[in-house]
Amino acid sequence: MPAKKPWTSVRIRETFLKFYEQRGHKRMPSSSLVPYNDPSVFLTTAGMQQMVPYFLGLETPPAIRMASSQKCFRTVDIDSVGDARHITFFEMLGNFSVGDYFKRDAIAFAWELLTKVFGLAPDRLYPTVYPTDEEAIEHWVATTGFPPERIVRLEDNWWDRGPTTPGPCGPDSEIYYDRGEALGCGRPTCQPGCDCERFLEIWNLVFMQYKQDNQGNKEPLASKNIDTGMGLERLSLVLQQKATIFETDLFAPIIQKFAQLTGTTYGVDPKADITLRIIADHGRALVFLAGDGVLPGNEGRGYIFRRILRRAVRYGKLLGLEQPFLGQAADTVIELMMPIYPELRERRDRIVEILSMEEVRFRQTLNTGLEILGNVLDELARVGQREVPGEDAFTLYDTHGFPFELTKEVAAERGMTVDVSGFEDAMERQRRQSRKQAGLTNAREDDLWKDLKEQLPQTVFTGYQKTEGTSRVVALLDELQLKEIVTAPQELQPPLEPRQTPMLGVILEETPMYPESGGQVGDRGWLQGPAGTFQVMDTQRPVSGLIVHWGRMTHGYLTVASPVDIQVDTARREATRKNHSATHLLHRALKDLMGESVVQQGSLVEPERLRFDFNLPRGLKKEEIEQIDHAVNMMIRANWSVNTEMLPLEQAKRTGAMALFGEKYPDPVRVVTMGTSKELCGGTHVAATGQIGLYVTIQETSSAAGIRRIEALTGETAEALLMERKRTVDTLASRLQASPDTLAQRIDQLVADLSAARKELDQVHRAAARDEAHRLAETAHDQQGNLVVAASVTASDHATLLVMNDHIRDLLQARHNDRIAILLATVQDDRVTFIVTVTPALVQQGAHAGKIAQAVGERLGGKGGGRPESAQGGGRSVDRLATVVAEVPMIVADQVAAATNGKRG
């Protein structure tokens, strides 16, 4: 007999997604750890975050059933990282329903996947529900046959994003896995929800049925939704039968790498094991944070990144890691995870550089801080004090950059606390002083630009005509300080984010590089001087008349008055100007289709895409988007010349040229005309609309109340998208033996055939169940007027057992006998499941369905129980099923006899 295929994390993830795909769910890719358009959180904390607009009815979902494996990050349990189950970065497996199925199907799907597909023993699973959610309890009992007495009611089974955070909310039902009494606390009250290690929460089914405002008030959602979340790491722990998450295949290679670096062996020293787990978790988390563009900083997600990295470095130091190690370990994480997240390999160099630079920068701070803090703790211990003064903690933080969290952790390891209140008082005192000086800082920057504008000639922009040229350096800036020379650093520099402003600035007499304006991003490129190269990462206009090239020296140096050759990144400029011209055509098409009242409310023009915001009280229909795409592409194919002219501002407005939302225009102003489109615009454009090539809308969503947003692609990017979609259509057509033209009809026919087949199969099952019920009714044991039917049957599911049971009961009652007991058992996946029913008349004689189920369950090596009239159970002793079924009439007879004797006594 071949060995069972192991449950690797890759297989678990794919099995989950395929399971829901087979049940009509659209597989959704994981979104970034940096939330899109959600300022309420710094990082993505749950799979449902990308679903919130759909749940609230603000946007149209790509499908009403969806499933995903979402990258998530939480720091709420950071102090517990290192135990068996707590981590910061994790993957959340989730299925979602937007106004489609609700509690019944969510519960049924979860139960089927856990017990039938993943093969978890039902008697090891415990659902919990919100105390007043009777509907969920009914579905657990009716849909899965789960004993109601094993369903635990917990006040914690309510999901929202915070007691006063606006958004969807509702009761939830968690599924716990019993890891065994050996891991329990031993208390009589130990049950799911206990803080011991016995019961592990693996899945949360959230029933989104309310909308909460910022006062905590709740009102029903227009449609009920489902949001479930199951941690891949925890499920891997269970299916791979490991003691902790860190022994699963998601962590074991990372643990091994850090053990190798520290010269330790995992599993020998419990204290060292915890430290290795913390480093492994934090190292893995940092790779994904850096991979999604999060950079270390002092606020928001940047602060989270920095805190995690500093904890990792500090714990590494405890194991003797005195040299930078996170960059080395990053390759292990990337190698392990890149089959699922190939972007990690593409961004490998950036990830390693970011981790290495930040670790090197922090190590000096760490060494100094630990030495000073050690002296403070030694002195406190000498005088018998157990609390670090808040002022000392603040001095470490403010003067030496030593994180307050680390101060608390190190103190706790010495059995001491920190005066948090004193620390916060010192922080507030510093903030008040900083607020007084903040105005001075801003004033200094404003004064800098004002002074430079007065001292320097205006920068001449030549970028409408060319993308290269020569010029002369008139000013150099480093940290907003004027310099005579800037040089390339000797140390490694982290890569810059596209929108991050570098602190080296170059001002030239003239430049072809476009400064960010009107929604169009600034140019990038290179400045080549006699003795060095400057990489331009962004171009800005801080005040009118001055253009600043922000970037860094890659080698050599530049001096004031140096001649430079200028080269714009032409491929990037070409893609950007196609997108900019396309926004003008899109604006015109929207006005033509939706009316002249439609006005642009904002835009972003990048080389990769364009984004266009406009006022409209409703979303665009699918047909309207198609019409807009067609109109824009008609304008492109018309190959209209793009003409520009400079006009006095008022004259330009009188010509009908559109002035855009939020823009401040110079006087005179540049007017850009292409066919029927005429706008005031200072951006760069194609020479003729035909150069755009192609336009495709990829998304239409809500941006704000009454504001819609279109995102689109042009040129080669749009072509690549369409080619990918064509390959998808061709693949589907080939698999379904249809032509692309008839693919939709073929799918419709297959869906109809499948529906008809399911109905026909259901009818066959019901007919077979009725026939079997007739046969079994004839085999009833007559015990002095008490009829007992006990049998092992073939049934596809629990519902079929119930149908057969009802038919048998009805047939026997038709014989004018109401004292009936029925047990029906079936074997599925090498496990016996059974139901027991006893009519009220026989209950009065002493028979009890729950006790019958208990006795049968024990004989089958499992469990059973329930109410007097109905019960259920299961067991693994399939080979004993025939014997146990034959014993049921005697079990019933013994119960009745015992009750009769009791009455006589």
Side-chain angles (χ1 to χ4, degrees), residues 837-865:
T837 58
V838 176
T839 58
L842 190 53
V843 170
Q844 292 178 3
Q845 298 294 314
H848 189 292
K851 294 178 180 179
I852 296 171
Q854 182 181 1
V856 171
E858 290 173 354
R859 285 167 167 78
L860 291 172
K863 294 181 179 180

Side-chain angles (χ1 to χ4, degrees), residues 451-470:
D451 291 345
L452 288 178
K453 183 177 181 179
E454 293 175 353
Q455 296 170 15
L456 302 177
Q458 287 198 2
T459 310
V460 177
F461 176 64
T462 60
Y464 293 137
Q465 297 82 27
K466 55 187 180 180
T467 55
E468 59 184 13
T470 59

Side-chain angles (χ1 to χ4, degrees), residues 255 258-259 262 264 266 272-281 319:
I255 290 278
F258 282 115
T262 58
T264 58
Y266 183 76
D273 287 352
I274 291 175
T275 304
L276 282 171
R277 294 171 191 167
I278 292 172
I279 300 172
D281 167 77
L319 289 179

Side-chain angles (χ1 to χ4, degrees), residues 257-258 261-262 279-280 283 309 311-317 321-331 355-356 359 363:
K257 177 63 177 180
F258 282 115
L261 291 174
T262 58
I279 300 172
L309 183 140
R311 287 187 97 243
V313 174
R314 190 246 163 177
Y315 277 100
K317 188 175 178 67
L321 287 173
E322 298 294 342
Q323 299 299 320
F325 62 92
L326 289 173
Q328 297 180 57
D331 281 327
L355 297 185
S356 300
E359 183 177 2
R363 277 193 171 274

Side-chain angles (χ1 to χ4, degrees), residues 143-443:
T143 305
T144 71
F146 202 89
E149 62 272 16
R150 286 184 56 202
I151 299 174
V152 181
R153 299 173 189 253
L154 295 177
E155 289 287 344
D156 288 341
N157 283 136
W158 180 272
W159 192 95
D160 55 38
R161 306 175 80 190
T164 58
T165 302
C169 63
D172 61 62
S173 181
E174 295 171 320
I175 303 175
Y176 284 76
Y177 182 80
D178 184 358
R179 303 177 67 205
E181 291 183 3
L183 295 176
C185 57
R187 295 192 297 264
T189 57
C190 185
Q191 65 174 7
C194 183
D195 57 6
C196 70
E197 293 291 330
R198 176 176 178 179
F199 294 99
L200 179 68
E201 178 204 340
I202 58 173
W203 206 343
N204 191 8
L205 316 179
V206 182
F207 310 128
M208 295 287 190
Q209 57 193 100
Y210 300 104
K211 178 181 180 182
Q212 178 173 275
D213 63 20
N214 57 11
Q215 300 297 316
N217 301 313
K218 300 170 181 64
E219 62 180 34
L221 286 167
S223 60
K224 297 177 180 179
N225 310 301
I226 286 295
D227 152 42
T228 84
M230 175 162 56
L232 173 64
E233 292 78 4
R234 291 192 177 189
L235 184 58
S236 297
L237 178 156
V238 172
L239 292 176
Q240 295 174 17
Q241 300 179 21
K242 301 298 183 181
T244 76
I245 283 174
F246 298 93
E247 276 90 80
T248 67
D249 63 354
L250 288 162
F251 275 97
I254 306 172
I255 290 278
Q256 183 58 38
K257 177 63 177 180
F258 282 115
Q260 176 188 343
L261 291 174
T262 58
T264 58
T265 301
Y266 183 76
V268 175
D269 180 355
K271 187 175 181 180
D273 287 352
I274 291 175
T275 304
L276 282 171
R277 294 171 191 167
I278 292 172
I279 300 172
D281 167 77
H282 290 5
R284 188 174 86 134
L286 290 166
V287 167
F288 277 93
L289 286 173
D292 277 354
V294 179
L295 294 175
N298 294 324
E299 295 179 347
R301 62 182 67 96
Y303 174 77
I304 294 173
F305 184 104
R306 182 160 282 167
R307 182 186 179 192
I308 296 294
L309 183 140
R310 289 176 171 183
R311 287 187 97 243
V313 174
R314 190 246 163 177
Y315 277 100
K317 188 175 178 67
L318 293 179
L319 289 179
L321 287 173
E322 298 294 342
Q323 299 299 320
F325 62 92
L326 289 173
Q328 297 180 57
D331 281 327
T332 301
V333 178
I334 293 169
E335 185 71 21
L336 179 65
M337 302 302 293
M338 70 181 183
I340 308 301
Y341 300 103
E343 67 271 16
L344 291 178
R345 176 163 49 188
E346 300 166 6
R347 302 167 188 171
R348 181 264 174 197
D349 291 346
R350 185 180 76 170
I351 292 170
V352 172
E353 284 189 35
I354 292 171
L355 297 185
S356 300
M357 280 296 301
E358 182 68 12
E359 183 177 2
V360 169
R361 186 180 295 115
F362 177 61
R363 277 193 171 274
Q364 182 58 46
T365 298
L366 178 64
N367 293 335
T368 302
L370 286 175
E371 181 179 355
I372 296 172
L373 179 56
N375 293 334
V376 170
L377 296 175
D378 288 342
E379 180 60 19
L380 290 173
R382 188 184 67 80
V383 299
Q385 295 184 17
R386 313 300 298 171
E387 185 178 73
V388 178
E391 285 289 343
D392 287 348
F394 180 75
T395 299
L396 275 166
Y397 171 82
D398 189 50
T399 304
H400 303 286
F402 195 78
F404 181 56
E405 291 81 10
L406 286 189
T407 298
K408 290 191 293 183
E409 289 185 12
V410 174
E413 291 170 2
R414 296 275 296 268
M416 298 184 185
T417 61
V418 179
D419 177 14
V420 176
S421 178
F423 175 84
E424 291 175 347
D425 289 343
M427 279 287 290
E428 182 57 29
R429 186 171 64 248
Q430 184 206 50
R431 290 191 189 103
R432 287 196 296 268
Q433 182 63 27
S434 297
R435 282 193 289 268
K436 290 180 182 178
Q437 296 178 349
L440 297 176
T441 302
N442 293 333

Side-chain angles (χ1 to χ4, degrees), residues 859-875:
R859 285 167 167 78
L860 291 172
K863 294 181 179 180
R867 299 188 299 272
E869 296 178 14
S870 66
Q872 60 188 356

